[in-house]
Amino acid sequence: MSKTGTTAPASAALGYLLNFLDDAAKMTGYLPPKNVEVREILDERGISGHSATLPAPRNGFTGEQKEALENYAKTLTYWRNLLVELDWSAKEVVITFKRPAEESETAEQPKKLTWREKLKGKPYLATRVAGQRLVEQGFMVREPVPVTMVTVDYSVNGYAVMLKYPGTGRDDHAGINKAYDKWVPLLADVVARSFEIKCETVPDGLISTMFFTKDKRYVSAVYNNSKELRLFVPRRNKGLDPIFFTKVTYRACKKLAQRYKKDFNISKKPLAAWGVTGHSLVMDYKKGAGGKVVDDSYIYNVRLMAEKLMKQFHILASIKHHVETRSLVVTFYTGSADKWMQMGRHSDGVAVIEHGSVTEPAGSRG
């Protein structure tokens, strides 16, 4: 079931689901049998779908296993305009994918791409397909851009697309936003599988960044429990720009790094900022330091230094505290921030400096 095609979308969807369960077995604790029988569903239209039965573990499916299976199965319905039914009445689960009773002849036809778009490669094409599906669900989607995804240990090249969740509220739609945070990465995974590439999704409040790469070594957070800081950097097509190193935002980052090089593990050089004109600096807490009091005091001192650099270079700055990875991302930028970037999550654990006005995490100093 590892190979999927467009001639039998329901059968392909079952193949994707089984592959997902294989890859996620370490996280879910459920590994389906290797030879699962796929049955055809026949009606007056002929073959209208496919069905398969998955046996339950010895102690039955857990709530987490059911949720993982149901979420991925439902996500697959957006991929090829399908319907899904899951029957949990017996100990095992029966999964059925069907074509809708009424569907247009062109419902599953992919949008035609120009030869220039095809030359950009699979990661770019994946962003186009994912974006089309998201637009159909009411998302606002930007044009794909070439980026480098940077982590603490390595970097990966690919294409990324920014998307904004439907609706504009923050508090009133908190539950809906959390649901989108779970669903969007699964949709990215489905699309990535169809192109045989890798993906990642980084949510931030009402917006998320969906990333696709040809690097087969990359493992998505969907299958990796480790908390890791992921940043997106605009990719440069040619050699280094000499002006790059003379920009005030770059110099501000270098001064901040020099000031705190003994207190943090700091990225070797400032990174081009994502969503604004400027540069970002990644600052990881050193091992041994810990606790809310310590973290808050570090944020407070970095904030004071950032404010001094803002006045010195006549620029703006923001600081984000990534609690799970125990990292600070300090961004110095010129001009106005991208409106989409301002819609990120500013909840507990995030300090933001903007236009000299400071919003800090609950209980922090200052």
Side-chain angles (χ1 to χ4, degrees):
M1 294 298 297
S2 61
K3 294 184 179 181
T4 58
T6 58
T7 55
S11 177
L14 281 171
Y16 281 25
L17 179 60
L18 293 174
N19 289 341
F20 164 75
L21 293 174
D22 285 339
D23 294 339
K26 290 184 178 180
M27 292 184 65
T28 63
Y30 176 72
L31 181 66
K34 293 184 178 180
N35 299 317
V36 176
E37 181 185 0
V38 177
R39 303 178 295 275
E40 295 179 346
I41 305 298
L42 301 174
D43 59 15
E44 63 277 3
R45 298 175 294 168
I47 300 176
S48 62
H50 290 80
S51 178
T53 300
L54 298 182
R58 178 177 299 179
N59 298 322
F61 287 101
T62 65
E64 291 77 10
Q65 290 168 345
K66 286 184 177 181
E67 182 181 12
L69 202 156
E70 288 177 345
N71 288 344
Y72 205 84
K74 291 177 181 177
T75 302
L76 283 163
T77 63
Y78 296 94
W79 167 65
R80 291 289 184 182
N81 190 31
L82 296 169
L83 300 176
V84 64
E85 298 175 359
L86 291 96
D87 184 359
W88 300 96
S89 58
K91 188 175 182 180
E92 64 273 3
V93 57
V94 180
I95 307 167
T96 303
F97 287 99
K98 291 183 179 180
R99 290 185 296 150
E102 298 180 1
E103 59 177 346
S104 64
E105 294 296 327
T106 60
E108 296 177 3
Q109 296 299 321
K111 184 179 178 181
K112 291 184 178 180
L113 300 169
T114 66
W115 66 271
R116 290 180 182 273
E117 290 176 321
K118 293 179 181 179
L119 287 176
K120 292 183 178 180
K122 290 183 178 180
Y124 174 82
L125 299 178
T127 61
R128 302 293 295 187
V129 172
Q132 183 179 351
R133 293 290 180 265
L134 291 165
V135 169
E136 293 170 357
Q137 302 304 314
F139 286 73
M140 292 180 65
V141 182
R142 285 190 162 180
E143 284 295 314
V145 292
V147 301
T148 298
M149 187 180 68
V150 180
T151 69
V152 175
D153 300 318
Y154 56 90
S155 60
V156 183
N157 289 333
Y159 272 84
V161 61
M162 288 181 63
L163 53 103
K164 185 170 79 71
Y165 295 167
T168 57
R170 293 174 185 245
D171 298 332
D172 294 343
H173 298 84
I176 298 176
N177 293 340
K178 289 181 180 179
Y180 283 137
D181 285 348
K182 292 182 179 180
W183 176 74
V184 170
L186 297 182
L187 178 65
D189 186 80
V190 170
V191 174
R193 286 182 184 278
S194 67
F195 285 91
E196 298 181 339
I197 57 177
K198 300 293 184 177
C199 67
E200 187 57 81
T201 304
V202 179
D204 186 14
L206 300 180
I207 63 173
S208 283
T209 300
M210 191 180 285
F211 171 79
F212 295 92
T213 178
K214 291 190 297 184
D215 194 327
K216 297 291 182 70
R217 299 170 300 171
Y218 185 74
V219 179
S220 169
V222 173
Y223 308 101
N224 189 350
N225 278 323
S226 64
K227 303 300 182 182
E228 192 171 43
L229 181 66
R230 297 173 174 87
L231 295 178
F232 295 102
V233 179
R235 188 150 31 112
R236 292 181 172 271
N237 296 325
K238 298 182 180 181
L240 292 176
D241 183 355
I243 302 177
F244 180 81
F245 296 100
T246 61
K247 287 184 176 179
V248 290
T249 54
Y250 186 94
R251 285 153 47 198
C253 285
K254 293 292 288 183
K255 282 203 169 186
L256 187 67
Q258 180 66 25
R259 170 66 177 79
Y260 291 105
K261 63 181 181 180
K262 294 182 179 180
D263 303 303
F264 292 87
N265 295 317
I266 301 177
S267 52
K268 293 182 180 179
K269 63 180 181 180
L271 305 170
W274 177 246
V276 293
T277 302
H279 294 86
S280 297
L281 193 70
V282 181
M283 307 172 65
D284 295 319
Y285 288 94
K286 288 188 175 180
K287 292 183 179 179
K292 190 175 186 306
V293 174
V294 174
D295 288 359
D296 287 348
S297 66
Y298 276 38
I299 294 174
Y300 176 74
N301 282 279
V302 171
R303 176 175 69 87
L304 292 180
M305 184 63 183
E307 288 177 331
K308 291 181 181 179
L309 293 171
M310 287 169 61
K311 295 177 181 178
Q312 178 182 347
F313 291 104
H314 304 287
I315 55 179
L316 305 174
S318 70
I319 301 175
K320 285 192 176 182
H321 180 201
H322 296 262
V323 180
E324 292 182 340
T325 58
R326 302 197 68 246
S327 303
L328 297 180
V329 178
V330 183
T331 300
F332 292 100
Y333 60 98
T334 58
S336 299
D338 190 310
K339 291 183 179 180
W340 277 36
M341 303 307 291
Q342 292 176 348
M343 301 187 72
R345 183 179 294 119
H346 293 172
S347 57
D348 289 352
V350 178
V352 178
I353 304 175
E354 192 170 353
H355 298 282
S357 175
V358 182
T359 301
E360 299 184 73
S364 61
R365 296 174 58 184

